[in-house]
Amino acid sequence: MIPIRISLDRDLYEHADRVSRRQGVSLTDFCRRTLREALARYPEDKPWMAYVGSLEGRPRDSSTVDHVVYGRDTR
């Protein structure tokens, strides 16, 4: 392990401390787990995966795309 030192504002620290206690883990383990989960959204071998599911739109937008791109009317 590589030791690091970080600074947190009081509210963030207290919130993280409460959550880690509820989960029954040390604050250090909680920080490691949280960082690991956050980094899992950004795989190094597939950086484009960070954007999967991040686009917003209306439920019928894909049919609009079909119409515009392929000339198909799916409505």
Side-chain angles (χ1 to χ4, degrees):
M1 299 251 179
I2 299 170
I4 65 167
R5 183 177 179 145
I6 62 171
S7 298
L8 305 174
D9 64 51
R10 183 171 301 281
D11 290 340
L12 182 60
Y13 170 80
E14 290 174 354
H15 190 179
D17 188 51
R18 284 191 304 272
V19 172
S20 67
R21 287 174 192 262
R22 278 197 303 262
Q23 292 184 0
V25 299
S26 68
L27 182 57
T28 302
D29 283 338
F30 176 75
C31 289
R32 278 191 206 109
R33 290 178 186 184
T34 304
L35 185 57
R36 208 175 284 122
E37 289 172 9
L39 291 175
R41 290 182 241 147
Y42 301 94
E44 292 181 1
D45 59 331
K46 298 176 186 170
W48 53 269
M49 288 293 287
Y51 301 102
V52 172
S54 65
L55 301 178
E56 296 179 5
R58 298 178 307 256
R60 304 244 344 129
D61 281 350
S62 62
S63 62
T64 304
V65 170
D66 283 347
H67 176 71
V68 172
V69 175
Y70 303 108
R72 290 186 251 173
D73 192 8
T74 58
R75 293 177 248 177

